[in-house]
C-alpha cells in the first residue's frame, strides 16, 4: 500500500513539474529593474485622483479587418484626466506636441519639418533628464548594451524610436517605432496597427476620433479602475482594433525605458518577456525592425496581485 501511494505521489509530482515547466518563467532580473523604474516614475498619474477610467463591459471577439463591432461601453474609457498635469509635466507636454506630426496611413511617406525635428529633440532632452531614464541608462551601461556617454545614448534612443524606415514595401520612409507605438497607424485602410499609448487614446477619444468598445480579459481576471495595464477593443477613424493594450497613467519616459531595455537586452526579431511590475503580471512584447523598434506593447495577464494569490492557493 505504501509503495502504491509513493508511486502515485511520484506520478503527480512529475505531472505537476511538467505543467510548471510549460509555463514561461518570470524574468526576475527585469522585474527587479522595472519595479525600480516604477518607483522612480514620479511623473506617473494617479488613478482616481489624476484620471478616472470606466472599463464597463467585456468586448466580443472580432476578426481583424472587420468594421462591424458591438459596443459594450456606452461611456468613454477616460474621464477627469488632469490636463493641467499633461500640460505642465515636461515629458507629457512635449509628448503631446509629437502626436500630430505623423501620417496615419502606412505607405504614405513621412515629411519631417525642421519644427518637428526640434520637437523630437526637446522630447528626448526631457526624457533623458528624468530619473527613470537615467536609471535605465545606468542599467544598460552595466550590461554593456549602451555607452556611458550621454550623447551616444541619446543617439541610440533616437535610432531605436525615431529613425524613419519602410513599414510598407515600395513606398517612402513611412514609419518609426515612436509613431507605431505612441501614435498608431492604419494599414491598407482596413486595420489599426500599433497604438499602445494611453495619452493618445485619451486625446483621440476626447476629440471623438476614437470609440472605446470594452475590455478584453479572461473570465477570472476582470480589470479594475486602478489597473496599470488594460487590454482593450476600440475603433479609430472608422477602423477597429480587435485587441489592443496599453499602460495606463504611466509617463512616456517609463514606457520608453522599459521597451528600450527589452529591445537592447535581446537580439531576436521578436521577444516576449514575462515580468511582475507593482501588482501586475504581464508580458512585454518587442518586435525589431532592423536596428529600430517595430512595435512594443504590454499584455496584461493578471492584475492586483491575483497571480500571487492564485500561486499561494496552488501551494
Amino acid at each position: 500500500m505504501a509503495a502504491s501511494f509513493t508511486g502515485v505521489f511520484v506520478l503527480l509530482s512529475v505531472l505537476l513539474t511538467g505543467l510548471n515547466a510549460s509555463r514561461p518563467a518570470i524574468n526576475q532580473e527585469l522585474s527587479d529593474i522595472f519595479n525600480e523604474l516604477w518607483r522612480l516614475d514620479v511623473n506617473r498619474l494617479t488613478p482616481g485622483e489624476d484620471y478616472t477610467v470606466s472599463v464597463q463591459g467585456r468586448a466580443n471577439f472580432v476578426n481583424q479587418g472587420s468594421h462591424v463591432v458591438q459596443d459594450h461601453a456606452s461611456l468613454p474609457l477616460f474621464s477627469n484626466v488632469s490636463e493641467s498635469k499633461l500640460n505642465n509635466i515636461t515629458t507629457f507636454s512635449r509628448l503631446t506636441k509629437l502626436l500630430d506630426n505623423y501620417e496615419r496611413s502606412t505607405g504614405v511617406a513621412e515629411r519631417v519639418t525642421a519644427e518637428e525635428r526640434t520637437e523630437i529633440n526637446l522630447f528626448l532632452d526631457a526624457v533623458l533628464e528624468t530619473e527613470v531614464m537615467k536609471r535605465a541608462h545606468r542599467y544598460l551601461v552595466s550590461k554593456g548594451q549602451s555607452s556611458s556617454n550621454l550623447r551616444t545614448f541619446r543617439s541610440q534612443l533616437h535610432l531605436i524610436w525615431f529613425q524613419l524606415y519602410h513599414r510598407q514595401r515600395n513606398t517612402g520612409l513611412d514609419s518609426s517605432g515612436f509613431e507605431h507605438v505612441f501614435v498608431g497607424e492604419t494599414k491598407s485602410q482596413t486595420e489599426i496597427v500599433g497604438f499602445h499609448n494611453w495619452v493618445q487614446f485619451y486625446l483621440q477619444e476626447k476629440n471623438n476620433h476614437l470609440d472605446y468598445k470594452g475590455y478584453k480579459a479572461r473570465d477570472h481576471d476582470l480589470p479594475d479602475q486602478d489597473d496599470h495595464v488594460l487590454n482593450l477593443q476600440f475603433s479609430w477613424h472608422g477602423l477597429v482594433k480587435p485587441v489592443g493594450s496599453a499602460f495606463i497613467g504611466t509617463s512616456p519616459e517609463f514606457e520608453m525605458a522599459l521597451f528600450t531595455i527589452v529591445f537592447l537586452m535581446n537580439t531576436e526579431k521578436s521577444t516576449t518577456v514575462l515580468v511582475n511590475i507593482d501588482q501586475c503580471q504581464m508580458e512585454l512584447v518587442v518586435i525589431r525592425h532592423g536596428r529600430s523598434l517595430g512595435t512594443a506593447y504590454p499584455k496584461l495577464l493578471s492584475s492586483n496581485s491575483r497571480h500571487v494569490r492564485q500561486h499561494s492557493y496552488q501551494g
Side-chain angles (χ1 to χ4, degrees), residues 178-217:
F178 178 85
E179 178 188 5
H180 190 82
V181 174
F182 280 85
V183 185
E185 301 177 283
T186 60
K187 180 181 177 182
S188 304
Q189 298 182 336
T190 60
E191 60 183 291
I192 301 165
V193 291
F195 202 133
H196 299 290
N197 179 253
W198 75 270
V199 177
Q200 170 73 336
F201 194 106
Y202 162 66
L203 292 174
Q204 291 295 299
E205 190 175 55
K206 175 187 172 184
N207 291 320
N208 297 317
H209 299 314
L210 182 150
D211 186 14
Y212 171 62
K213 301 297 185 181
Y215 68 85
K216 300 289 289 185

Side-chain angles (χ1 to χ4, degrees), residues 72-243:
H72 291 271
S74 59
L75 301 173
L77 175 65
F78 284 99
S79 61
N80 305 319
V81 175
S82 173
E83 296 213 356
S84 66
K85 289 202 170 181
L86 293 185
N87 293 331
N88 293 316
I89 295 173
T90 307
T91 52
F92 277 117
S93 66
R94 294 185 180 177
L95 169 71
T96 58
K97 286 183 170 59
L98 298 177
L99 297 178
D100 63 354
N101 289 355
Y102 296 92
E103 294 285 347
R104 189 164 63 249
S105 178
T106 59
V108 179
E110 297 292 343
R111 295 176 182 174
V112 184
T113 66
E115 181 183 3
E116 289 171 350
R117 278 193 291 272
T118 298
E119 289 174 350
I120 290 171
N121 289 330
L122 288 172
F123 174 70
L124 282 174
D125 288 344
V127 164
L128 285 164
E129 288 174 4
T130 65
E131 292 304 316
V132 169
M133 193 57 82
K134 287 177 181 178
R135 180 65 185 96
H137 183 205
R138 291 197 300 273
Y139 176 79
L140 289 166
V141 171
S142 74
K143 293 298 180 179
Q145 300 302 319
S146 292
S147 167
S148 59
N149 183 281
L150 191 59
R151 290 183 66 180
T152 304
F153 179 56
R154 188 183 188 285
S155 297
Q156 191 176 29
L157 287 178
H158 190 280
L159 174 62
I160 293 169
W161 288 96
F162 290 100
Q163 183 68 41
L164 292 176
Y165 53 71
H166 303 272
R167 188 172 292 275
Q168 194 165 309
R169 291 183 178 180
N170 303 319
T171 65
L173 302 174
D174 64 337
S175 186
S176 68
F178 178 85
E179 178 188 5
H180 190 82
V181 174
F182 280 85
V183 185
E185 301 177 283
T186 60
K187 180 181 177 182
S188 304
Q189 298 182 336
T190 60
E191 60 183 291
I192 301 165
V193 291
F195 202 133
H196 299 290
N197 179 253
W198 75 270
V199 177
Q200 170 73 336
F201 194 106
Y202 162 66
L203 292 174
Q204 291 295 299
E205 190 175 55
K206 175 187 172 184
N207 291 320
N208 297 317
H209 299 314
L210 182 150
D211 186 14
Y212 171 62
K213 301 297 185 181
Y215 68 85
K216 300 289 289 185
R218 296 175 296 185
D219 289 340
H220 65 276
D221 197 32
L222 304 181
D224 288 336
Q225 310 286 354
D226 61 348
D227 280 355
H228 309 314
V229 177
L230 288 176
N231 302 330
L232 312 162
Q233 185 177 98
F234 61 94
S235 64
W236 184 44
H237 291 283
L239 304 180
V240 175
K241 181 94 171 179
V243 184

